[in-house]
Amino acid sequence: MTLGIALLGTGNIAQRAFVPAVQAVDWARVVAVLSRDKARGAVFAQQYGIPGVYDDLEALLRSPAVDAVIVATPDAMHETQVIAAARAGKHVLCEKPMTTTYAGCQRMAEAVRASGITFAMGYNNRFNPGLQLIRALIAEGRIGQIRYARGFLTSQAQDPTGWRAHREQSRYWALSAVGTHLIDLWRWYFGDPASVGGGLASPTHGAPNDEVSVLVLDYPGRLLAELAVSAVFRGGNRLELYGEGGAITADNLMGSRAAGTITCKGQAIAYEPANPFAAEVADFVQAIAQGRAPCATLEDGLRNVHIMETAREGSLQRPL
């Protein structure tokens, strides 16, 4: 049986990532698209061979051809769209972050749990073969107990007029675009931290939302995990993990077409790169068919936004 998927949103992530990802999964098909601009939606649908075009979510959710939705809209729209889809009995793959506030996430979670649908969070890096390999190396104890980890990731979405830079559709810019990926990565590798602190700043454009952020996750008695993210720098990404028996480093490993390098204790480690979005969609579809939890869950969405919000409301910085 082929799963009919509706794509909510026609932005870059929909075009670049989700349309080809669904096309790569034999047992799934994009059957509808939702756009606030129906003319734009029609162009998008014609370009990708999508039969249904909607500018009204309730009408889309009434379609018997739609079994599931992929929510790829601005952060602030996630809450109402996910709740509506859950109440309509449609399975949901929600792009990260779950929504703009932890309270909103809790309302979404209540609707999802009441509906019994399958809900997956869009943390595609869990399907990145290089990052999966690093997780396996950690589990094998290749560098012993890890005491410090740090990651740097920058988004090249440098337009200060874009939706992530403004409060109407997001509460975060750098953290929403890329920081949430590193929060999820450290939780995936190390579990939930006991506390978080950091600094959020907008030194380039003075945007309402963060242009540069640095967070530190504390795992008392075990390690500190740091992340530095930006929405205004061009560049790559880097991970460094330091253990009692050596270090693992990775350059340019993250992203939909990443083919970076990994070293473990100074030795290059080979792996086969692959687009993580196709594997993410495949996992979502399989989770529905098998009645199991997806790789990235509702709880992951809740926890990651809680960490973002806690860091935003607090600070490690004190006046001197």
Side-chain angles (χ1 to χ4, degrees), residues 2-76:
T2 299
L3 190 78
I5 296 178
L7 189 56
L8 310 189
T10 56
N12 184 55
I13 191 72
Q15 298 184 58
R16 177 179 54 84
F18 285 117
V19 168
V22 176
Q23 290 173 340
V25 177
D26 291 337
W27 52 94
R29 180 177 176 231
V30 180
V31 296
V33 63
L34 178 78
S35 175
R36 287 172 290 182
D37 182 340
K38 195 166 185 178
R40 178 177 176 177
V43 171
F44 186 95
Q46 183 177 26
Q47 183 178 358
Y48 296 107
I50 301 170
V53 182
Y54 295 85
D55 60 0
D56 179 79
L57 178 61
E58 295 298 332
L60 180 148
L61 294 173
R62 288 194 295 268
S63 170
V66 175
D67 303 304
V69 299
I70 295 177
V71 179
T73 52
D75 301 348

Side-chain angles (χ1 to χ4, degrees), residues 26 93 145 149 174 268 271 279 302:
D26 291 337
L93 170 56
Q145 175 62 54
Y271 72 100
L302 283 160

Side-chain angles (χ1 to χ4, degrees), residues 135 183-194 217-219 222-223 225 303-304 307:
R135 189 168 185 259
I183 291 170
D184 186 69
L185 185 70
W186 293 152
R187 287 187 58 254
W188 190 41
Y189 282 2
F190 308 127
D192 283 316
L217 311 185
D218 186 14
Y219 297 81
R222 293 172 54 203
L223 76 144
R303 292 296 299 158
N304 292 341
I307 289 170

Side-chain angles (χ1 to χ4, degrees), residues 153-160 173-174 201-207 209-212 229-235:
L153 183 56
T154 182
S155 166
Q156 296 186 358
Q158 300 183 33
D159 180 3
W173 187 2
S202 297
T204 301
H205 302 292
N209 295 338
D210 61 305
E211 300 169 3
V212 181
V229 295
S230 166
V232 293
F233 302 144
R234 294 192 181 277

Side-chain angles (χ1 to χ4, degrees), residues 60 84 102 125 154 171 200 206 234 239 280-281 299 302 311 320:
L60 180 148
Y102 184 57
N125 283 294
T154 182
R171 293 183 84 201
L200 285 67
R234 294 192 181 277
L239 301 176
E280 178 181 70
V281 171
E299 185 62 28
L302 283 160
L320 295 176

